[in-house]
Amino acid sequence: LDTPSQLLPLLNMKRAAARTHVAVIGDAFMDVVCGPIERLPRWGGDVEAGNISQMAGGSALNVAVGIGSLMRGNADASCSFHGLVGEDDFAAVLKRKLDASNVADCLAVDATVGTGCCVVLTGKDDRGFVTNVGATGKLAVEHLQSVKDYVTPKDGTPPSRFHLHVSGFYSCPALRPNLAQYLRRLREELSSTQVDLSISFDTNCDATDVWDGGVKEVMKEVDVFLPNEVEARGISKEEDLEAAANVLAKLVRKGIVITCGGDGAILQQREAADAGKPPRRTKIAPNISPIDFTGAGDAFDSGFIYRWAVCGGSFEDGAVSGSCCGALCTQSVGANSDLPSSKTLDELESKARDIILGSDCAA
């Protein structure tokens, strides 16, 4: 047992004795995935897609089903999803996906609006989206009472650790105005209990390209921020990603991880940023030939949260798991069509950890 990668399974076993719950809040969409396509269609034109399929999606839902799949078989860890859907066939598909993925369905229903839908156009090197947020656009704090049901469950036994992940911020306009206050109150309520609370946050893309909506107020209430490079530049107003990492790390409690696609990720912790230390860079998992990039960032979040919040690993451990989950996601079409188990994740990590971290990022 000489290397950190060999210690990871033992770390999981050590943490299994503590009851952990992860609640995920945010967007839930029906994804219509078209691809691969060679180019985008012009107005009045058409392009041929290799395949067109529909599947459950939305950034927050993708993260939840990824975490649920990694938790499968662990009686001391559980996951729930909290969002808003319509009363329609799309909602039924999302509910079935949650059930099949070991995730408790805490979806609220609004019969006055349809479930959100996202058309995903995927090409060889990237993807684009066309979205109608539908019910997700009406998701608000009042729909989130079910979150607290997991903090103080009916059986009277609260979890030892409670992790809350918020995603799809810019797809949830009704949630944005009161989200910071909601998170602040949750932390205050749990401060007098034995529950160990942590919070992570991922905005996803702002279609208006303004990158505001109170995002920095929310960041003050979270422990970890998980943007991609576009989101990091937009919110920080810094073009240089290392500068962006330093700016953003000082806004949160513990740190950030910026995912950079094929260029790996950038890690910066609050303490290091305050001390003037440079961010750390990681590489992507090796020997991966991507088929579809859809949902890779969400898969990264799932892996990071699982390793850092559920298993109690370091930021570096979280980045390795995130990188491996993101890589595995690209091996199939769609964001969550073939999710890894914890065993599959551990196997890839044991081979890829040292390459992902590199000599300058050793834990």
Side-chain angles (χ1 to χ4, degrees):
L1 298 176
D2 296 324
T3 66
S5 62
Q6 291 169 308
L7 291 172
L8 285 171
L10 295 183
L11 177 61
N12 285 338
M13 292 170 64
K14 182 178 178 181
R15 298 287 289 192
R19 186 178 174 202
T20 303
H21 185 80
V22 177
V24 182
I25 293 172
D27 54 339
F29 297 135
M30 172 60 73
D31 281 351
V32 179
V33 182
C34 309
I37 59 176
E38 293 295 325
R39 58 177 176 80
L40 296 176
R42 63 179 183 275
W43 291 118
D46 190 10
V47 295
E48 183 175 346
N51 184 61
I52 297 178
S53 57
Q54 67 175 30
M55 57 188 67
S59 178
L61 186 142
N62 289 338
V63 173
V65 299
I67 294 170
S69 295
L70 290 169
M71 287 179 172
R72 197 181 301 279
N74 184 348
D76 294 300
S78 57
C79 182
S80 59
F81 179 71
H82 310 259
L84 186 65
V85 294
E87 195 173 29
D88 51 27
D89 292 341
F90 282 177
V93 173
L94 303 190
K95 288 175 173 289
R96 288 196 297 271
K97 182 64 178 181
L98 292 172
D99 182 63
S101 302
N102 191 38
V103 178
D105 170 9
C106 297
L107 287 166
V109 177
D110 185 338
T112 69
V113 65
T115 298
C117 183
C118 179
V119 178
V120 182
L121 305 174
T122 178
K124 181 181 178 181
D125 299 314
D126 211 335
R127 71 274 190 267
F129 308 93
V130 181
T131 303
N132 178 279
V133 296
T136 285
K138 298 178 71 174
L139 176 66
V141 167
E142 53 261 35
H143 297 115
L144 303 178
Q145 179 57 44
S146 55
V147 172
K148 293 187 178 180
D149 292 341
Y150 284 90
V151 180
T152 54
K154 294 179 181 179
D155 67 6
T157 306
S160 301
R161 304 179 186 88
F162 186 85
H163 183 81
L164 182 67
H165 179 68
V166 183
S167 195
F169 179 77
Y170 286 115
S171 297
C172 304
L175 182 63
R176 295 201 296 261
N178 298 310
L179 179 58
Q181 183 182 48
Y182 173 83
L183 298 177
R184 188 179 310 119
R185 286 181 175 176
L186 180 64
R187 195 178 290 277
E188 290 171 354
E189 290 173 10
L190 292 184
S191 64
S192 60
T193 72
Q194 298 299 311
V195 178
D196 182 8
L197 173 68
S198 56
I199 302 172
S200 56
F201 180 47
D202 191 348
T203 61
N204 297 111
C205 187
D206 179 10
T208 69
D209 206 29
V210 175
W211 303 102
D212 192 2
V215 66
K216 291 183 178 179
E217 290 303 308
V218 174
M219 289 177 65
K220 293 176 183 178
E221 307 302 326
V222 308
D223 297 290
V224 179
F225 184 39
L226 300 167
N228 65 23
E229 54 193 323
V230 174
E231 296 150 5
R233 287 185 171 116
I235 295 168
S236 70
K237 310 303 180 187
E238 295 280 355
E239 186 62 26
D240 179 78
L241 284 175
E242 293 196 6
N246 285 322
V247 169
L248 297 174
K250 293 178 181 180
L251 294 177
V252 298
R253 290 169 175 261
K254 294 190 181 298
I256 74 159
V257 182
I258 303 173
T259 54
C260 305
D263 292 326
I266 298 174
L267 288 66
Q268 181 62 302
Q269 294 180 261
R270 172 67 183 267
E271 187 175 297
D274 287 341
K277 296 180 180 179
R280 296 180 172 188
R281 285 186 174 268
T282 65
K283 301 176 182 179
I284 61 172
N287 304 319
I288 296 293
S289 299
I291 296 173
D292 180 12
F293 293 94
T294 305
D298 302 331
F300 184 100
D301 290 2
S302 297
F304 182 92
I305 292 166
Y306 174 74
R307 190 63 71 196
W308 179 76
V310 178
C311 299
S314 67
F315 253 56
E316 289 81 4
D317 294 332
V320 171
S321 292
S323 179
C324 289
C325 282
L328 291 169
C329 177
T330 68
Q331 300 302 283
S332 58
V333 175
N336 53 51
S337 58
D338 188 17
L339 297 166
S341 65
S342 59
K343 180 180 178 181
T344 302
L345 177 59
D346 285 346
E347 289 173 350
L348 180 55
E349 285 185 23
S350 67
K351 300 173 184 177
R353 179 184 176 89
D354 292 342
I355 294 174
I356 291 171
L357 291 179
S359 58
D360 61 328
C361 293

